[in-house]
Amino acid sequence: MHRIGVFVCWCGTNIAATVDVKAVAEAARKEPGVVFATDYQYMCSEAGQALIRQAIKDNALTGVVICSCSPRMHEATFRKTVQAAGLNPYMLEIANIREQCSWIHKDIKEGTEKAIILARTAIAKVMLNKPLTAGESAVTKRALVIGGGIAGIQSALDIAEAGYEVDIVEKQPTIGGKMTQIDKTFPTLDCAACILTPKMVDAAQNEKIKIFSYSQVEEVKGFVGSFKAKIRKKARFVDENLCTGCGDCTSKCPSKKNKNEFNLGLDNRPAIYIPFAQAVPKVAVIDAEACIKKKTGKCGLCEKVCSAGAIKYDQQDEIIEREYGAIVVATGFNPIKLDKYDEYAYSQSPDVVTSLELERLMNAAGPTQGTLLRPSDGTHPHTIVFIQCVGSRCDDARGKSYCSKICCMYTAKHAMLIREKYPDTDVHVFYIDVRTPGKNFDEFYRRAVEQYGVDYIKGMVGKVIPHDGKLLVQGSDLISNEQVKIDADMVVLAAAIEPDPTARSVATMLTASIDTNDFFTEAHPKLRPVESPTAGVFLSGVCQGPKDIPETVAQASACAAKVIGLLAKDKLLSNPCVARADESLCSGCSVCQNVCPYGAITYEDREFRIPGPKRSEIRRVAQVNEAVCQGCGACTVACPSGAMDLKGFSTKQIMAEVDAICR
Amino acid sequence: MPVKTTENGEFKPLIVAFCCNWCSYAGADLAGTSRLSYPADVKIIRVPCSCRVNPLFILRAFQRGADGVIICGCHPGDCHYTTGNYYARRRMTLLFSMLDYLGIERKRTRVEWVSAAEGVRFSEVMNDFAKHITELGENKKLEDLRCKKSLD
């Protein structure tokens, strides 16, 4: 016998203003199986919950329907309430009469009618609910951080500080990320390397942190609390444990003309190299495509000069399998490619550079040792034009619709640094808007204009024409409404930033969602900004959206706090709404196994009694691994025998809902 | 059978919307939070994923007198379960191609992708679909004759 109780919430006036809550309770009382129905101002309040608990006890209720806000809001709250009264927490259904009724309908009659239908739909469903028990799973007390830039390093340091193990997986030969390439940081103008490299060393020396550099996560299986990852440690042909980072090999290597990625191709590096002086780990790596020994079998100079005997030409990629309780995504960003921006002559003239290339040209560890020289002829530029929003806030398919957020500030920084170092250099900045929200940001920009005399021109550049070793910049000044022509020595493009190209594959691997721009989506834009909707996956840094360094570090620490909160638990409750096969109906056809995105379905031979002289037969039937099943329900529809069903969303339950709506 | 006329005799369609928990149901919640209205004719059933929607549910709804059925899921590529919405898309394409044969106008069904961030889009989709179904009129083609008999 069903004994259902219905509780209609007013939500103050949020529901009661457009839904006659008393009429809803009245109508619910008439539904078969309902023995109790009432309304109350705030069901989620302590008094409201006490009312529910009391009613369950007084009326010996077997199921509860709460007509209130979205189940996404308070389902967990009310599950605890009914559980406290001795009922199974899954004997509860919520009729969403706020978000999907009272808030969108103005007419009280219409709202009430719909609320009554939603209530009876929930009643029809709860009658078919079965008590479910959440399984428990253990938590592996180790976190995986994908990406070793400032975001990943900060998250890892904070997690390690709390006493948990952390692995950082970085695809480059060194950790540090984009920040290693930056010269100075806004708005304080402190040296990026001076604040970053100590953190890199801290990470390397922390006994809780293990760094897998020159490695990539290839596969992630499992779920929150027990992920299993496969990490490919690419062969660097140098033994990490033996290499001392002395650099003898790099100076002797005869294959010297290879693009130096760290300096964005502005100079060359040998085939065996250490990315930069402060690299962590400071271990050489051989670029197999450039190495003469790897290509022709002759040479072997580096092996001869290496006193540590660290060179291993026959080293192979290594696959490492590790288990984790939580995963932090810190895959970062890249400036967009500018090959489609012909109007700015980026691919035609070496003197048209991106802002990140300018960072290298102004960096003491860069190709020019910090002296700003034109890449074409090595002379000092006397007129420099900055072009903002190259690919940002862009309507066409070449660029991005969003604001990259950091460009206004770094351009002000560049302009200021150039004017400081070379006061005879004219600096012009073409902009759409100057956006400087942030602590001390606007003051910084105004200093560039007022104190350093940087010429800001509101307007876009139409064309950059290389001529006689110079660059003719043609643009418009929207304030004076005049065409502007500037004969520049260098042009700097503030290229939009986009998520790292690996973001999409990482998202797929983790079943975390990304938006149309490939930025990772957060679980809630305001209230859960560092969690991905996928349990156990957390977001750190620019992978979630454009950010500057302070924001990235803040988010990375927030992310670490969430990870620590998870790792501190000894047990996690798993979702009991998972698939189940009815063995008597299953024909073992494997259709469900093929559609299952988690590989949760296996087959087992079972003995069944059958009529006839044989008495029994062995049949292959599907088995769902409840710890692996995530409860999507793909198998339930695919099953040709109707043997698969989903607990909590069973075929009968949904059919009952359809019937209740269409009654 | 459900009442489908207002007091002044206007046709009020009965629309069943299947919304996946992670994107579209959240999108519907956002439409609510943002007070973006759509007709009360639309009644939402929450499913974990659009791939949980069995074609049977849709036929059942039509059989029981629904005038329109809409299935909403995450945008392709954004499925919380990686591939669920692709299954839904394929299944629905197949089902819809057979609807006319079964005696239900193909136009009474629709699949839409609405993300959790698209409250505006959810309301637009529902307004548009409800308008469309109102124009189509009552679903008379597929009637459960047993129901009719019991009424007589």
Side-chain angles (χ1 to χ4, degrees):
Chain A
M1 259 306 280
H2 294 291
R3 295 184 64 81
I4 310 295
V6 181
F7 301 85
V8 187
C9 181
W10 299 27
C11 195
T13 55
N14 284 308
I15 292 171
T18 34
V19 169
D20 181 349
V21 286
K22 293 213 182 295
V24 175
E26 193 56 42
R29 205 169 287 133
K30 290 182 190 136
E31 289 292 314
V34 175
V35 293
F36 179 84
T38 190
D39 56 276
Y40 187 71
Q41 270 134 334
Y42 290 102
M43 281 295 172
C44 61
S45 68
E46 186 38 48
Q49 293 189 44
L51 185 154
I52 298 170
R53 287 194 296 266
Q54 196 58 45
I56 292 173
K57 284 177 188 153
D58 291 351
N59 300 286
L61 299 181
T62 57
V64 168
V65 167
I66 297 172
C67 305
S68 60
C69 52
S70 171
R72 293 171 57 87
M73 189 89 182
H74 274 318
E75 193 172 50
T77 315
F78 291 128
R79 284 221 166 113
K80 281 189 198 132
T81 312
V82 300
Q83 193 171 23
L87 214 55
N88 182 283
Y90 291 86
M91 296 307 289
L92 164 86
E93 285 301 323
I94 290 184
N96 185 343
I97 61 164
R98 190 179 78 174
E99 279 86 347
Q100 294 176 9
C101 188
S102 71
W103 271 352
I104 48 168
H105 307 311
K106 291 190 181 68
D107 180 44
I108 190 156
K109 187 171 168 288
E110 199 177 57
T112 308
E113 272 172 14
K114 180 167 172 180
I116 290 171
I117 294 174
L118 295 179
R120 78 176 185 222
T121 306
I123 295 166
K125 187 179 180 195
V126 82
M127 304 252 260
L128 296 162
N129 278 19
K130 297 248 160 48
L132 301 175
T133 316
E136 278 187 349
S137 57
V139 182
T140 308
K141 309 252 171 193
R142 186 189 295 134
L144 167 65
V145 175
I146 305 176
I150 180 64
I153 293 172
Q154 185 64 45
S155 290
L157 284 172
D158 289 347
I159 297 166
E161 186 73 14
Y164 298 105
E165 284 183 41
V166 193
D167 290 355
I168 301 177
V169 176
E170 168 58 52
K171 65 179 174 178
Q172 301 295 339
T174 171
I175 58 166
K178 290 285 173 300
M179 195 174 163
T180 55
Q181 293 172 307
I182 297 173
D183 182 34
K184 302 278 192 294
T185 55
F186 61 78
T188 46
L189 294 182
D190 40 1
C191 137
C194 313
I195 52 178
L196 174 65
T197 51
K199 276 195 186 291
M200 291 161 64
V201 174
D202 279 354
Q205 289 178 347
N206 193 312
E207 56 184 26
K208 296 277 181 193
I209 300 178
K210 203 167 160 54
I211 298 171
F212 293 95
S213 61
Y214 211 45
S215 303
Q216 262 177 307
V217 182
E218 281 209 327
E219 186 187 279
V220 174
K221 285 203 165 144
F223 45 91
V224 56
S226 58
F227 292 107
K228 287 186 183 63
K230 268 189 195 161
I231 301 163
R232 177 179 292 270
K233 205 163 163 25
K234 289 181 275 184
R236 57 202 299 159
F237 308 111
V238 174
D239 190 324
E240 264 188 295
N241 301 320
L242 297 177
C243 177
T244 58
C246 66
D248 285 350
C249 52
T250 60
S251 53
K252 294 287 185 319
C253 179
S255 167
K256 290 202 186 301
K257 294 259 163 117
N258 312 296
K259 266 195 175 177
N260 183 355
E261 297 89 352
F262 182 67
N263 282 335
L264 302 160
L266 292 166
D267 65 353
N268 294 324
R269 58 153 173 82
I272 184 164
Y273 66 102
I274 295 169
F276 55 95
Q278 299 90 348
V280 171
K282 197 169 179 188
V283 173
V285 54
I286 292 178
D287 174 354
E289 280 169 28
C291 175
I292 300 168
K293 173 81 178 177
K294 292 296 290 181
K295 283 195 296 188
T296 65
K298 290 169 197 158
C299 185
L301 253 179
C302 50
E303 192 177 23
K304 279 175 209 143
V305 298
C306 181
S307 51
I311 311 292
K312 306 277 181 236
Y313 294 118
D314 55 354
Q315 199 178 58
Q316 299 290 319
D317 286 8
E318 205 184 323
I319 302 286
I320 297 156
E321 290 190 32
R322 301 268 281 177
E323 291 186 11
Y324 302 99
I327 297 177
V328 174
V329 182
T331 46
F333 72 99
N334 270 307
I336 61 164
K337 290 206 166 56
L338 295 177
D339 43 3
K340 286 178 190 149
Y341 287 86
D342 280 342
E343 68 265 40
Y344 300 136
Y346 178 71
S347 40
Q348 295 153 40
S349 167
D351 296 332
V352 180
V353 297
T354 66
S355 298
L356 197 57
E357 287 164 359
L358 184 73
E359 291 282 353
R360 298 314 303 151
L361 292 172
M362 289 167 66
N363 192 306
T368 55
Q369 286 77 47
T371 316
L372 181 56
L373 300 171
R374 300 202 325 154
S376 62
D377 55 8
T379 57
H380 273 291
H382 296 287
T383 307
I384 301 179
V385 170
F386 285 85
I387 304 175
Q388 296 301 97
C389 291
V390 178
S392 299
R393 307 172 69 195
C394 179
D395 292 332
D396 64 44
R398 296 187 302 174
K400 307 289 174 186
S401 58
Y402 53 84
C403 166
S404 296
K405 201 173 183 179
I406 53 174
C407 325
C408 285
M409 284 302 287
Y410 68 57
T411 296
K413 172 191 78 179
H414 288 153
M416 207 184 269
L417 291 172
I418 291 169
R419 293 282 296 161
E420 170 90 31
K421 224 170 168 185
Y422 312 104
D424 60 331
T425 303
D426 289 332
V427 176
H428 309 274
V429 179
F430 282 91
Y431 69 97
I432 307 178
D433 292 298
V434 175
R435 295 181 166 180
T436 54
K439 195 173 172 182
N440 296 327
F441 281 15
D442 204 58
E443 293 89 328
F444 184 82
Y445 153 65
R446 286 212 309 269
R447 235 169 84 203
V449 179
E450 289 158 14
Q451 204 176 321
Y452 288 89
V454 179
D455 175 31
Y456 272 77
I457 305 165
K458 187 174 174 76
M460 282 306 284
V461 170
K463 209 163 172 53
V464 175
I465 305 160
H467 72 103
D468 309 328
K470 290 204 131 199
L471 299 157
L472 178 65
V473 180
Q474 295 180 333
S476 53
D477 183 336
L478 293 179
I479 291 173
S480 66
N481 203 16
E482 276 169 5
Q483 293 298 307
V484 185
K485 282 186 184 171
I486 299 170
D487 230 2
D489 300 308
M490 265 182 93
V491 170
V492 184
L493 306 177
I497 58 171
E498 63 181 357
D500 191 81
T502 56
R504 189 164 273 272
S505 59
V506 170
T508 309
M509 190 165 68
L510 300 174
T511 70
S513 55
I514 46 176
D515 65 17
T516 46
N517 294 310
D518 284 7
F519 286 115
F520 280 79
T521 321
E522 55 283 348
H524 188 286
K526 293 189 194 74
L527 302 176
R528 294 172 68 195
V530 300
E531 294 158 80
S532 128
T534 302
V537 175
F538 302 88
L539 312 174
S540 181
V542 182
C543 70
Q544 180 261 343
K547 276 177 202 69
D548 59 22
I549 294 167
E551 279 180 330
T552 297
V553 172
Q555 200 202 15
S557 288
C559 184
K562 288 285 171 192
V563 171
I564 295 163
L566 170 62
L567 297 185
K569 290 187 180 127
D570 289 323
K571 293 267 180 230
L572 290 176
L573 289 182
S574 61
N575 170 24
C577 297
V578 292
R580 192 187 152 274
D582 183 339
E583 292 178 0
S584 60
L585 294 176
C586 177
S587 64
C589 68
S590 295
V591 167
C592 56
Q593 190 181 34
N594 291 334
V595 297
C596 179
Y598 301 99
I601 301 171
T602 51
Y603 293 88
E604 262 178 39
D605 285 337
R606 285 284 163 90
E607 193 174 352
F608 291 90
R609 290 181 64 178
I610 52 162
K614 261 176 76 188
R615 302 187 71 87
S616 74
E617 65 169 12
I618 306 278
R619 235 179 41 227
R620 200 177 90 107
V621 292
Q623 296 288 312
V624 179
N625 180 345
E626 298 203 344
V628 179
C629 175
Q630 299 293 302
C632 67
C635 56
T636 60
V637 183
C639 179
S641 324
M644 272 291 177
D645 213 345
L646 186 63
K647 294 182 201 168
F649 292 93
S650 71
T651 302
K652 272 190 181 163
Q653 284 174 309
I654 299 174
M655 287 288 215
E657 286 182 273
V658 170
D659 289 356
I661 288 176
C662 303
R663 206 166 72 196
Chain B
M1 294 297 277
V3 185
K4 290 185 185 172
T5 42
T6 60
E7 282 157 357
N8 17 344
E10 277 172 47
F11 170 58
K12 253 172 46 133
L14 176 59
I15 294 168
V16 179
F18 290 95
C19 291
C20 82
N21 180 51
W22 302 93
C23 290
S24 312
Y25 195 88
D29 278 354
L30 184 60
T33 316
S34 320
R35 314 296 198 272
L36 299 162
S37 76
Y38 51 88
D41 314 329
V42 179
K43 315 284 189 307
I44 295 171
I45 294 179
R46 181 163 76 131
V47 285
C49 175
S50 50
C51 73
R52 178 64 189 96
V53 180
N54 197 318
L56 217 61
F57 303 159
I58 296 158
L59 297 177
R60 174 77 151 218
F62 283 124
Q63 193 186 22
R64 291 294 158 112
D67 301 298
V69 179
I70 183 165
I71 295 96
C72 299
C74 310
H75 285 276
D78 288 350
C79 176
H80 180 73
Y81 304 103
T82 326
T83 48
N85 49 1
Y86 293 132
Y87 291 133
R89 184 165 66 181
R90 252 181 275 168
R91 287 170 187 160
M92 295 313 145
T93 308
L94 197 60
L95 172 74
F96 294 174
S97 71
M98 295 192 293
L99 283 183
D100 283 326
Y101 173 77
L102 292 171
I104 304 161
E105 294 115 302
R106 159 82 180 77
K107 289 175 186 164
R108 295 190 181 274
T109 50
R110 199 178 274 186
V111 173
E112 290 281 356
W113 312 127
V114 182
S115 84
E118 293 177 325
V120 177
R121 184 171 147 72
F122 187 87
S123 136
E124 282 170 1
V125 162
M126 290 307 158
N127 275 310
D128 185 65
F129 189 61
K131 187 168 159 264
H132 171 77
I133 296 296
T134 312
E135 281 165 8
L136 271 178
E138 200 175 344
N139 171 29
K140 282 187 177 150
K141 283 199 174 173
L142 191 75
E143 283 179 355
D144 191 328
L145 295 173
R146 287 166 304 173
C147 294
K148 205 163 190 192
K149 233 174 237 168
S150 68
L151 283 176
D152 297 338

